[in-house]
Amino acid sequence: MADRLRQAHGLECQCLLTDRPGGATEMAHRLAQTGEALRVYACGGDGTVHEVANGLAGFPNAAMTCVPAGTGNDFLKNFGADIAKFSDAEALWDGDVFPLDLIDCNGRYCTTIACNGIDARVADSVHRYSGVPLLSGRGSYLASVAANVLFGGIGRRWTVEADGEVLTGEFALVSMCNGRYYGGGSMPVPQARMDDGVLHTILVNNVSRTTFARLFGAYSAGKADQLPRLARISNARVVRIQSAEDIVTCLDGESFRSREVRLGLSGKRVRFFGPAGCSPNATAR
């Protein structure tokens, strides 16, 4: 692809390979720091997009796009039918640049959904099932859901503060959404838009295993607002979660653990380019 872009359009283009977790962030950041005009093609899945976005965030001279080569590619699902065009460099190289919001989580950036709780624990262990025969990206995610629900329990005791309102109790999950998809296609907040300066936080109370199994489909289909006793959705600008035990947090599929999680908006933080006419809100309700 780099060779074709160089030959067809006279671009100074090179292919860089990552060799460790975080490698794409370091390379993208180093290139952006030169101050020269830069376009980065993140060839991979959601983890690669996450790393490149963290490396380029805040640099006005740099922009990024994604060539889908991952398992789930949830980030690009936000672009709807145009997702297929992202595989063709000819549709990307001179595409318009537009800004996207990011979620700031403990100083790290998230492009789509920052999740904490049962959904994060599921994402943290989904790689164990990705190599199992007959399990696709969505299938491996569902296998991880079953394993975590059956053997790990649902809720954890947290103190959650959302724009000054403090709640203490047992929670299944707290997820802040900038985009609409995670977990191989689950869409908890279908109205989320990636460039409107608004983040949607969904909080789900602790439930039994049988209730979770019964309601999981509705949650994944974006119908959590129909479950007022179990879930609430807000547009809080800052959310903080505290716990006496480690909280598993997942940002675009990349997981870490901490005792305190702070989530907030980082508006128009990364510049993105894509095929002509594409929109990161193509599937938003």
Side-chain angles (χ1 to χ4, degrees):
M1 181 182 295
D3 289 341
R4 290 198 304 273
L5 290 173
R6 186 184 306 110
Q7 294 166 6
H9 306 291
L11 299 177
E12 182 182 344
C13 190
Q14 59 179 315
C15 180
L16 302 175
L17 302 179
T18 58
D19 59 2
R20 64 189 181 283
T25 296
E26 295 173 8
M27 286 191 291
H29 187 79
R30 184 173 64 250
L31 290 167
Q33 280 184 313
T34 66
E36 297 181 2
L38 172 69
R39 288 195 173 200
V40 177
Y41 298 72
C43 300
D46 297 314
T48 307
V49 171
H50 170 84
E51 289 195 7
V52 172
N54 271 268
L56 299 185
F59 284 97
N61 59 303
M64 66 173 291
T65 192
C66 176
V67 178
T71 302
N73 298 309
D74 285 318
F75 173 82
L76 284 185
K77 288 184 175 72
N78 292 284
F79 290 83
D82 282 332
I83 187 173
K85 298 179 182 179
F86 281 89
S87 296
D88 181 6
E90 285 299 311
L92 297 175
W93 74 273
D94 60 348
D96 292 337
V97 177
F98 49 89
L100 295 180
D101 298 329
L102 296 175
I103 302 169
D104 185 326
C105 179
N106 289 12
R108 299 170 62 177
Y109 293 114
C110 174
T111 63
T112 50
I113 297 179
C115 55
N116 309 268
I118 182 62
D119 49 354
R121 300 198 302 273
V122 167
D124 187 45
S125 61
V126 72
H127 65 277
R128 302 175 190 172
Y129 308 96
S130 59
V132 177
L134 304 181
L135 289 183
S136 63
R138 181 65 173 168
S140 58
Y141 176 76
L142 293 176
S144 183
V145 169
N148 277 275
V149 170
L150 289 174
F151 303 110
I154 305 294
R156 298 291 188 270
R157 185 168 183 80
W158 293 342
T159 296
V160 180
E161 180 179 349
D163 282 355
E165 180 185 8
V166 179
L167 304 170
T168 299
E170 298 279 335
F171 300 99
L173 62 89
V174 177
S175 293
M176 181 174 275
C177 304
N178 180 45
R180 293 171 296 284
Y181 300 96
Y182 74 154
S186 289
M187 183 174 56
V189 183
Q191 65 268 33
R193 287 167 167 78
M194 303 183 74
D195 57 4
D196 63 352
V198 176
L199 299 177
H200 303 267
T201 297
I202 180 168
L203 186 153
V204 178
N205 295 322
N206 189 25
V207 294
S208 67
R209 289 182 175 89
T210 54
T211 300
F212 180 87
R214 179 167 54 87
L215 300 178
F216 177 74
Y219 171 84
S220 296
K223 298 179 180 179
D225 57 347
Q226 300 176 18
L227 311 169
R229 293 185 178 181
L230 299 177
R232 57 182 287 186
I233 299 175
S234 73
N235 295 335
R237 293 185 66 85
V238 178
V239 174
R240 186 171 64 172
I241 310 167
Q242 295 176 295
S243 174
E245 300 178 348
D246 280 353
I247 303 166
V248 179
T249 299
C250 189
L251 311 178
D252 304 323
E254 302 298 308
S255 301
F256 68 94
R257 287 166 169 78
S258 63
R259 299 291 175 93
E260 180 173 339
V261 179
R262 187 184 185 280
L263 303 156
L265 172 69
S266 188
K268 304 293 190 291
R269 191 62 174 168
V270 69
R271 301 170 74 239
F272 192 86
F273 65 97
C278 74
S279 170
N281 306 315
T283 62
R285 297 180 193 170

